[in-house]
Amino acid sequence: MYCNNCCLCFPIRGGGMWLSGLVILVNAIGAVFLFLWGPFFFSSIQSMIFGGFSALQAALAGIAFFGFCNTSYMLIRMYVFITWLIMFISVARIGWVAFALASNQGQISAGCHGGVNDKGYTTPTTLANIYCQYNINTVVTMFIVGFVVDFVLKGYHYFVIWRYYVRMRLSPSDQKYADFTYEEALDEI
């Protein structure tokens, strides 16, 4: 079947482990970035919320990774039933980030030019120098594209894990589908 593999080249379990590791890495780096340098772009509370949410997503990907390593039906099932809610919240986070960046454009540009803003920045930091080289609309677009790419990656990660979950659920030890082949049992769901 076309979706019994990951990225069209890995077996579903190995590809799911690899994809879980990638999601852990991306979200952990994002959480560190938002915790350390988020107050330059957002308020401190918003940066803590966004960073905490990225850390939560990294932890959930860790649960999926350990579920794949141990072939744990319980961990994979827990991930499948929790992640749909996290995906909806992730879409709301993208909108909230876009709104916050659009409303903070003046403060970000004041921080880039060495002005004093409500966060107390008077001179640009090293990271701010990187972002201050670009137009503020380009910075906002980079943030939004980054969050959308993260969402798409997590969506594909969820799909791969859901396929593995269905495959585990329809294993030959399940007496309800014992007379079916794997493909026939998929049609019964």
Side-chain angles (χ1 to χ4, degrees):
M1 177 167 237
Y2 71 92
C3 55
N4 281 339
N5 54 26
C6 175
C7 302
L8 299 176
C9 59
F10 297 114
I12 196 163
R13 183 173 174 225
M17 289 171 66
W18 175 81
L19 201 56
S20 295
L22 182 64
V23 170
I24 290 169
L25 183 69
V26 166
N27 282 305
I29 289 171
V32 169
F33 174 81
L34 288 168
F35 283 136
L36 294 180
W37 296 292
F40 182 78
F41 301 101
F42 311 105
S43 70
S44 330
I45 295 172
Q46 286 176 338
S47 66
M48 294 301 254
I49 290 171
F50 298 150
F53 192 74
S54 289
L56 172 69
Q57 289 175 332
L60 279 175
I63 289 173
F65 183 79
F66 287 121
F68 277 123
C69 288
N70 297 329
T71 317
S72 173
Y73 179 76
M74 181 188 71
L75 289 177
I76 297 293
R77 184 176 179 177
M78 182 176 70
Y79 180 86
V80 167
F81 285 114
I82 290 174
T83 302
W84 68 269
L85 176 64
I86 299 299
M87 294 294 282
F88 282 122
I89 295 172
S90 183
V91 170
R93 179 182 68 158
I94 293 171
W96 191 8
V97 165
F99 176 75
L101 285 173
S103 63
N104 291 342
Q105 284 184 358
Q107 295 171 352
I108 295 169
S109 62
C112 284
H113 299 300
V116 178
N117 56 20
D118 67 338
K119 299 173 191 80
Y121 289 102
T122 55
T123 57
T125 60
T126 306
L127 180 74
N129 285 332
I130 295 170
Y131 284 105
C132 292
Q133 295 173 1
Y134 302 104
N135 185 4
I136 190 68
N137 293 328
T138 306
V139 173
V140 170
T141 304
M142 287 186 334
F143 263 97
I144 300 306
V145 167
F147 278 112
V148 169
V149 167
D150 179 46
F151 177 77
V152 169
L153 179 67
K154 281 191 297 283
Y156 185 67
H157 182 239
Y158 179 76
F159 174 73
V160 167
I161 291 177
W162 175 78
R163 290 298 307 156
Y164 186 70
Y165 167 69
V166 168
R167 193 172 186 183
M168 286 176 75
R169 203 175 75 191
L170 297 177
S171 65
S173 64
D174 191 356
Q175 296 302 318
K176 181 178 177 183
Y177 299 107
D179 296 331
F180 294 110
T181 65
Y182 176 70
E183 284 78 17
E184 291 170 342
L186 283 176
D187 294 333
E188 295 295 318
I189 295 179

